DNA sequence: CAGTATCCGGACAGATACTG
DNA sequence: CAGTATCTGTCCGGATACTG
């Protein structure tokens, strides 16, 4: 569901903010327009990301997490903690 | 870290049990020896899975989750719950 | 029983160039 | 600004056959 290399970085970067396309692109180092576009589209289809498009010139599109997406972040936070703890434990063993 | 198609199924199947190679292979539908071997090896290197090998004939190898691996399961459980809730919400919207 | 060796196809990430 | 189109290479997963 959140597969692909960039979904997690996007969700974490977005957090509780509302960001525009190029803001995200600048924040997420190494991502290309293509990857960002396709990842955002999939996240939107999953109901994780909300997309607000203003039909203006120049175009303006804002992305934010839906409630569903927001409810994922604490779990991701736990997961991050778990990964960190696991690594420090491993380092201790290696010493 | 837990990428690849089979890591999660393996962790979930293992749970708090100790299982042998072919037990896992039988339980996890569709997995091949290769995938199971390589996934188990990576999980072992991450410190998630413990491997106990008895040098007998016929060979006997038992796999179980380490404490680190066990501490992951509740998070995975939350994640599963989250995914489920997200889907049911989406279905409601589609109705 | 518990793997290893080898080959193969397809999906995906990335680079580049272009557009409304 | 916010994307799309196209091409390309790589790597992962899968099938099959073999082994201590």
């Amino acid at each position: 569901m959140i597969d692909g290399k960039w979904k997690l970085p996007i969700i974490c970067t977005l957090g509780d903010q509302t960001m525009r396309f190029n803001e995200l692109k600048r924040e997420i180092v190494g991502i290309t327009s293509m990857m960002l576009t396709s990842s955002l589209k999939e996240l939107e289809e999953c109901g994780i990301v909300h997309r607000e498009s203003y039909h203006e010139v120049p175009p303006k599109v804002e992305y934010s997490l839906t409630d569903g997406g927001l409810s994922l972040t604490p779990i991701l936070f736990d997961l991050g903690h778990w990964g960190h703890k696991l690594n420090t434990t491993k380092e201790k063993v290696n010493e």
Side-chain angles (χ1 to χ4, degrees), chain A:
Chain A
M1 210 175 165
I2 26 182
D3 59 346
K5 204 176 175 180
W6 299 105
K7 303 275 178 63
L8 284 163
I10 290 173
I11 294 172
C12 293
T13 305
L14 222 39
D16 53 1
Q17 300 185 66
T18 293
M19 296 180 81
R20 301 183 57 175
F21 187 85
N22 274 5
E23 279 187 278
L24 279 167
K25 199 180 163 184
R26 266 192 300 278
E27 289 290 324
I28 302 167
V29 180
I31 199 169
T32 60
S33 298
M34 274 211 51
M35 292 298 102
L36 186 51
T37 305
S38 66
S39 302
L40 282 170
K41 197 191 300 180
E42 289 180 55
L43 288 171
E44 198 196 340
E45 281 165 7
C46 289
I48 294 172
V49 160
H50 176 69
R51 178 196 158 120
E52 188 78 41
S53 170
Y54 305 84
H55 289 280
E56 303 173 349
V57 179
K60 179 180 171 187
V61 184
E62 288 184 338
Y63 293 94
S64 58
L65 293 183
T66 61
D67 291 348
L70 276 171
S71 67
L72 176 60
T73 56
I75 302 176
L76 255 34
F77 184 77
D78 285 349
L79 210 60
H81 251 270
W82 173 84
H84 182 66
K85 216 164 74 179
L86 200 69
N87 272 330
T88 53
T89 312
K90 229 182 6 178
E91 278 163 25
K92 269 191 179 173
V93 172
N94 290 341
E95 280 169 15

